């Protein structure tokens, strides 16, 4: 691993009071695509996901089922663990906040904050939403016709009075604003950055960081009457996983601060305000970047349990195929914006882009090589300006895709690749190698070589998004595992004429609606 630049990327840890849905899959997929890309680009990647298992909501849910909270979290955490496997996520670690390593880390962070006088004991009285595990000010609440006060999220709030430890968040406003100013890329996209800065400028109050009215959580060191506020506990997972409190060597020294925390827009406040304040309060570095993505709707409707339209990612995979779902989620909307899932949009992407544009390109080119070039990589002659232009486009892809992914612009990265795919399809039609077979077989060989080289570049760069399909495409080009990294892109890793190729097979079948099959 030595000599490779480190890259640490995290998902939020998912709350086990919920079943895995499209939102969980979306965030983790974005991290997986980034992690796979960075590994291929020569980085020493650590990719973390996991489950958030403490808090009042979990305790209530466990008791409602007549279960011990630990048994309940064991059961539900496994659903998220299994989802990561089913969607072919390449995470290096899966953390659970009930693990001993995490309790040790949380208590060490607490002790450091106490030592630095960032936490003090007081008492709390205010509005608390169990569903959000968050406190709200009176000015943030709305009162419905039923007389029930609700948080901005729609969750019911209750009045809570209890002894509590507080984090001195009120003293961090100016320091956070200065940090945002000196680290303009810390929060993205800009809409979320503006929202966070506005919130901090409106004034911060000290944050209650312990509870006494329930017991399912990390005990406060030296005061067993209190457990840690679930968000202090949950956020700490990111440093637990790199070995905190050992900051001198090992993974913490290598990989912290994290390069990227990927989160949903509903939890940006916790990650962009509370978390850097906790870390700086303990003398630790904040992460380099927090990116908050948007939400999905289902056929134009807001997703909710009450409407019964929650999207199960496993059901999507069953219906459309794994790589097809991965591609659609990364391609359909600009990451950071809200997006709508619809069957029609899914099928349009599958059939128009994967089956027609990419799948058909690979199939027709490799079939022509199989039939007309003895089933081996053809030997090219001199390149024409058209050949050189297409190869130059293919060779230029890596820098453009890298730039887009470093900005979390997944749709833009894919569109960049599709520009070359569309150019290759136009080149096939214009060069007409099927006609050259009779009139100029040497020129046909050159054209098919140029196309095979273009397909090689596309397949290598598509590995992070559609790993299984890209692997099959690279298999059909007879490329072994050592020749699929980004260092092989360009002329240096070009296909060797005469290399035998296996018989080509279709990779992206067209989707046909079951009811239209006769």
């Amino acid at each position: 691993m030595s000599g490779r630049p480190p890259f640490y990327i995290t998902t939020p840890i998912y709350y086990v009071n919920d079943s895995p849905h499209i939102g969980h899959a979306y965030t983790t997929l974005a991290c997986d695509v980034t992690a796979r890309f960075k590994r291929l680009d020569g980085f020493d990647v650590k990719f973390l996901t996991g489950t958030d298992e403490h808090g009042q909501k979990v305790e209530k849910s466990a008791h409602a089922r007549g279960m011990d909270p630990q048994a309940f979290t064991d059961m539900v955490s496994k659903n998220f663990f299994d989802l990561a496997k089913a969607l072919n996520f390449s995470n290096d670690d899966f953390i659970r906040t009930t693990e001993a390593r995490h309790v040790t880390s949380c208590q060490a962070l607490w002790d450091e904050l106490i030592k630095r006088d960032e936490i003090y004991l007081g008492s709390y009285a205010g509005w608390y939403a169990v569903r959000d595990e968050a406190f709200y000010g009176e000015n943030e609440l709305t009162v419905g016709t039923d007389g029930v006060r609700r948080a901005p999220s729609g969750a019911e709030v209750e009045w809570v009075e209890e002894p509590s430890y507080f984090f001195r968040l009120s003293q961090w406003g100016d320091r956070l604003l200065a940090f945002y100013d000196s680290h303009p890329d810390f929060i993205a996209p800009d809409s979320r950055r503006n929202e966070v800065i506005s919130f901090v400028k409106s004034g911060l109050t000290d944050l209650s960081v312990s509870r006494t009215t329930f017991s399912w959580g990390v005990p406060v060191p030296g005061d067993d009457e209190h457990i840690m506020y679930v968000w202090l506990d949950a956020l700490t997972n990111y440093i637990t996983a790199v070995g905190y409190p050992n900051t001198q060597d090992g993974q913490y020294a290598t990989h912290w601060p994290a390069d990227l925390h990927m989160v949903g827009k509903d939890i940006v406040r916790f990650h962009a305000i509370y978390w850097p304040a906790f870390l700086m309060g303990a003398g630790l570095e904040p992460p380099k970047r927090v990116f908050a993505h948007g939400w999905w709707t289902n056929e134009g409707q807001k997703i909710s349990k009450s409407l019964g339209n929650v999207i199960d990612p496993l059901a999507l995979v069953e219906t459309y195929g794994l790589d097809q779902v991965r591609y659609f989620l990364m391609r359909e909307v600009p990451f950071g914006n809200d997006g709508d899932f619809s069957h029609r949009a899914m099928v349009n992407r599958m059939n128009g882009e994967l089956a027609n544009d990419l799948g058909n390109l690979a199939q027709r080119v490799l079939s022509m090589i199989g039939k007309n070039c003895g089933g081996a990589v053809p030997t090219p002659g001199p390149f024409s300006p058209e050949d050189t232009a297409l190869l130059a486009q293919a060779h230029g892809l890596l820098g453009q895709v890298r730039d887009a992914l470093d900005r979390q612009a997944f749709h833009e990265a894919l569109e960049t690749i599709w520009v070359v795919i569309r150019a290759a399809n136009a080149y096939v039609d214009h060069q007409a190698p099927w006609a050259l077979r009779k009139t100029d077989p040497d020129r046909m060989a050159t054209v098919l070589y140029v196309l095979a080289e273009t397909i090689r570049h596309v397949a290598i760069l598509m590995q992070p998004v559609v790993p299984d399909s890209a692997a099959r495409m690279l298999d059909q080009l007879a490329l072994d595992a050592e020749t699929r990294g980004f260092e092989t892109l360009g002329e240096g890793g070009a296909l060797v004429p005469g290399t035998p190729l296996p018989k080509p097979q279709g990779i992206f079948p067209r989707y046909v609606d079951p009811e239209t099959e006769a």
Side-chain angles (χ1 to χ4, degrees):
M1 287 296 193
S2 60
R4 298 169 65 201
F7 187 83
Y8 182 23
I9 185 169
T10 69
T11 73
I13 49 172
Y14 302 119
Y15 204 53
V16 293
N17 201 45
D18 216 348
S19 296
H21 55 66
I22 192 172
H24 303 123
Y26 187 52
T27 321
T28 314
L29 173 59
C31 291
D32 181 59
V33 169
T34 305
R36 287 174 179 274
F37 184 92
K38 289 292 182 181
R39 290 190 197 103
L40 288 164
D41 210 13
F43 286 75
D44 173 11
V45 173
K46 182 176 177 68
F47 166 23
L48 176 70
T49 189
T51 45
D52 176 8
E53 304 183 16
H54 289 134
Q56 192 172 3
K57 244 192 320 191
V58 171
E59 189 177 76
K60 281 186 172 183
S61 295
H63 291 159
R65 290 199 189 195
M67 295 179 74
D68 168 76
Q70 186 64 59
F72 174 76
T73 57
D74 289 347
M75 176 184 74
V76 186
S77 177
K78 187 174 185 302
N79 294 335
F80 288 91
F81 186 85
D82 291 347
L83 177 73
K85 298 296 180 193
L87 294 185
N88 198 10
F89 295 149
S90 62
N91 48 294
D92 305 287
D93 195 357
F94 186 97
I95 191 165
R96 299 181 57 192
T97 56
T98 49
E99 293 177 56
R101 61 172 171 164
H102 184 63
V103 174
T104 299
S105 176
C106 287
Q107 292 182 331
L109 181 65
W110 183 281
D111 285 338
E112 189 63 31
L113 290 168
I114 286 281
K115 188 172 84 177
R116 293 167 176 262
D117 194 31
E118 294 290 348
I119 290 177
Y120 64 92
L121 181 61
S123 62
Y124 180 78
W127 296 104
Y128 186 74
V130 173
R131 194 181 86 189
D132 299 346
E133 303 280 12
F135 300 97
Y136 292 98
E138 186 81 46
N139 62 336
E140 295 182 88
L141 306 180
T142 55
V143 182
T145 53
D146 53 3
V148 174
R149 283 181 170 80
R150 286 184 169 81
S153 64
E156 290 188 23
V157 296
E158 57 185 286
W159 186 258
V160 174
E161 294 189 32
E162 60 181 318
S164 176
Y165 284 90
F166 287 84
F167 175 75
R168 299 185 191 277
L169 188 64
S170 61
Q171 299 183 7
W172 279 92
D174 289 345
R175 284 179 281 184
L176 284 168
L177 291 171
F179 175 75
Y180 304 148
D181 191 49
S182 61
H183 297 81
D185 295 329
F186 174 64
I187 307 165
D190 284 344
S191 58
R192 302 294 159 224
R193 174 180 162 81
N194 296 339
E195 175 187 309
V196 166
I197 289 173
S198 174
F199 184 86
V200 174
K201 282 183 174 177
S202 71
L204 300 175
T205 56
D206 287 353
L207 182 68
S208 172
V209 288
S210 75
R211 302 294 306 276
T212 59
T213 49
F214 62 99
S215 59
W216 184 241
V218 177
V220 166
D223 193 343
D224 289 344
E225 295 291 309
H226 292 253
I227 59 154
M228 288 187 204
Y229 173 45
V230 71
W231 271 104
L232 176 56
D233 161 1
L235 290 162
T236 304
N237 92 89
Y238 302 126
I239 54 174
T240 297
V242 288
Y244 185 81
N246 175 16
T247 60
Q248 299 309 305
D249 50 35
Q251 286 195 49
Y252 187 98
T254 306
H255 282 89
W256 193 260
D259 292 88
L260 181 60
H261 288 331
M262 201 81 87
V263 302
K265 65 181 182 179
D266 53 324
I267 54 172
V268 69
R269 181 188 302 183
F270 301 97
H271 284 81
I273 300 174
Y274 299 172
W275 183 223
F278 293 156
L279 288 166
M280 291 190 283
L284 305 173
E285 281 189 82
K288 296 176 187 175
R289 186 167 172 86
V290 174
F291 192 102
H293 65 72
W295 290 340
W296 285 88
T297 52
N298 186 355
E299 303 284 354
Q301 278 192 309
K302 184 178 178 181
I303 293 174
S304 74
K305 287 180 184 175
S306 59
L307 288 174
N309 67 345
V310 173
I311 300 174
D312 176 359
L314 298 179
L316 292 184
V317 170
E318 184 71 27
T319 303
Y320 303 111
L322 174 55
D323 278 352
Q324 287 83 350
V325 170
R326 288 175 60 106
Y327 176 79
F328 175 84
L329 292 177
M330 292 292 92
R331 176 72 160 132
E332 182 65 8
V333 293
F335 199 70
N337 294 6
D338 291 341
D340 182 53
F341 180 88
S342 75
H343 173 69
R344 176 180 288 183
M346 180 83 205
V347 172
N348 285 346
R349 294 286 185 192
M350 289 172 67
N351 289 349
E353 294 177 354
L354 292 179
N356 288 1
D357 293 347
L358 177 54
N360 190 43
L361 172 69
Q363 180 73 3
R364 68 202 290 212
V365 169
L366 294 173
S367 294
M368 281 189 276
I369 290 173
K371 287 175 187 172
N372 305 314
C373 304
V377 174
T379 302
F383 289 146
S384 72
E386 292 86 356
D387 304 339
T388 305
L390 182 59
L391 288 171
Q393 276 188 278
H395 293 166
L397 274 175
L398 176 59
Q400 294 174 275
V401 173
R402 182 191 286 135
D403 172 68
L405 288 188
D406 282 345
R407 293 181 284 110
Q408 292 72 57
F410 299 95
H411 69 295
E412 191 180 312
L414 287 167
E415 174 56 24
T416 297
I417 295 170
W418 246 255
V419 167
V420 174
I421 292 170
R422 287 192 288 264
N425 277 310
Y427 171 90
V428 178
D429 294 340
H430 182 68
Q431 299 293 329
W434 51 88
L436 291 169
R437 182 171 65 89
K438 296 177 181 177
T439 60
D440 191 346
D442 288 344
R443 176 64 191 154
M444 175 200 70
T446 303
V447 167
L448 292 176
Y449 181 86
V450 168
L451 286 164
E453 258 299 276
T454 303
I455 292 167
R456 179 178 76 90
H457 280 75
V458 166
I460 286 173
L461 284 161
M462 285 296 288
Q463 289 177 99
V465 182
V466 289
D468 292 343
S469 304
R472 293 204 303 277
M473 201 172 284
L474 293 166
D475 289 344
Q476 294 186 32
L477 291 170
L479 294 169
D480 59 29
E482 285 69 47
T483 55
R484 299 183 180 191
F486 293 165
E487 73 282 356
T488 66
L489 292 169
E491 291 179 21
L495 294 167
V496 178
T499 303
L501 300 181
K503 184 178 179 181
Q505 295 178 327
I507 291 171
F508 293 111
R510 285 183 62 78
Y511 180 88
V512 179
D513 273 308
E515 62 268 22
T516 65
E517 290 183 293

